[in-house]
Amino acid sequence: MEKYTTLYDVLIIGAGPSGSNAAISYKNLNPNLKVGLIDKSIFPRDKSCGDAIGPGVISALKRFNNQHILDNEPQVVSTTLYGPENIGIQNYIPEVKNKEDSIVYVIPRIDLDNRILNLAKDLDVDVFEGYSFVSFEKDSDNKLVVEIKNGDNITKLGTKILVGADGANSRVRKQLNVNTNSDWHKAIAIR
């Protein structure tokens, strides 16, 4: 495989919440790191995956100092699930000891994912939108050469660390021959 055009300290495949937060974490750890994010979509993009932001996600956003992306969003206090013949079941969000752990928001993924990606961009993370991950291999200097594609254009980037944050059907995981999670470790989202 031929040489790369640019060398990164970290390249992350997938610019959703996990990938963008990984990029933000690396830049918070060391602002001088050269970090790149690669995603096949162009943001803002929608994704059919639950829009509920529960206590676990809120806790993670606090750890990454990103909680302000929830500013001006209304808190959810109840949910209603409708079934056949428009019959609805209403459920209130239960309060727990620590009131902060009872907070829930609903933010469409088109908005939430774009907000988190923009935080990464604000930290000078290089973002390659509309690029698909093709493959990677080690070069003679022990760096990874990552091949990405936009239409017919192939780009080769070098990196010291490659992070696969490209979802349940990860192409990075496939190239590494790592098995997918069993169905017991997957969830279904309802929008």
Side-chain angles (χ1 to χ4, degrees), residues 54-65:
V57 174
I58 293 166
S59 175
L61 291 171
K62 285 180 184 176
R63 281 195 316 269
F64 295 124
N65 297 320

Side-chain angles (χ1 to χ4, degrees), residues 6-181:
T6 307
L7 177 63
Y8 286 87
D9 294 301
V10 182
L11 273 178
I12 302 163
I13 310 299
S18 294
S20 292
N21 269 316
I24 291 164
S25 295
Y26 276 111
K27 290 298 274 189
N28 285 340
L29 180 67
N30 181 348
N32 297 318
L33 289 176
K34 187 159 181 66
V35 178
L37 258 173
I38 300 160
D39 200 281
K40 63 184 176 184
S41 296
I42 295 174
F43 285 69
R45 60 93 172 99
D46 204 5
K47 184 173 181 189
S48 66
C49 190
D51 297 337
I53 311 299
V57 174
I58 293 166
S59 175
L61 291 171
K62 285 180 184 176
R63 281 195 316 269
F64 295 124
N65 297 320
N66 294 338
Q67 187 185 12
H68 66 278
I69 66 171
L70 302 173
D71 287 351
N72 302 318
E73 291 291 339
Q75 293 181 16
V76 175
V77 294
S78 70
T79 60
T80 306
L81 179 64
Y82 290 96
E85 299 178 23
N86 214 24
I87 297 173
I89 301 171
Q90 188 165 20
N91 205 356
Y92 287 91
I93 306 297
E95 283 193 24
V96 294
K97 278 185 188 178
N98 182 355
K99 231 176 162 47
E100 281 190 25
D101 290 338
S102 302
I103 298 171
V104 175
Y105 297 90
V106 174
I107 304 172
R109 291 288 303 269
I110 193 168
D111 297 328
L112 180 68
D113 293 11
N114 198 50
R115 290 176 194 176
I116 298 171
L117 178 61
N118 283 335
L119 291 172
K121 288 177 179 177
D122 291 344
L123 294 172
D124 293 324
V125 170
D126 291 343
V127 179
F128 297 85
E129 296 178 66
Y131 283 83
S132 297
F133 167 78
V134 177
S135 65
F136 69 89
E137 73 179 43
K138 224 179 245 191
D139 70 5
S140 58
D141 295 330
N142 245 0
K143 304 285 188 290
L144 294 176
V145 179
V146 179
E147 191 173 275
I148 59 175
K149 183 178 180 181
N150 179 302
D152 292 333
N153 299 323
I154 302 267
T155 302
K156 295 182 183 196
L157 304 170
T159 189
K160 299 171 188 174
I161 298 172
L162 178 64
V163 176
D166 51 339
N169 298 312
S170 171
R171 296 178 79 180
V172 173
R173 178 175 38 206
K174 284 180 186 169
Q175 185 172 343
L176 291 169
N177 292 320
V178 175
N179 292 332
T180 60
N181 293 336

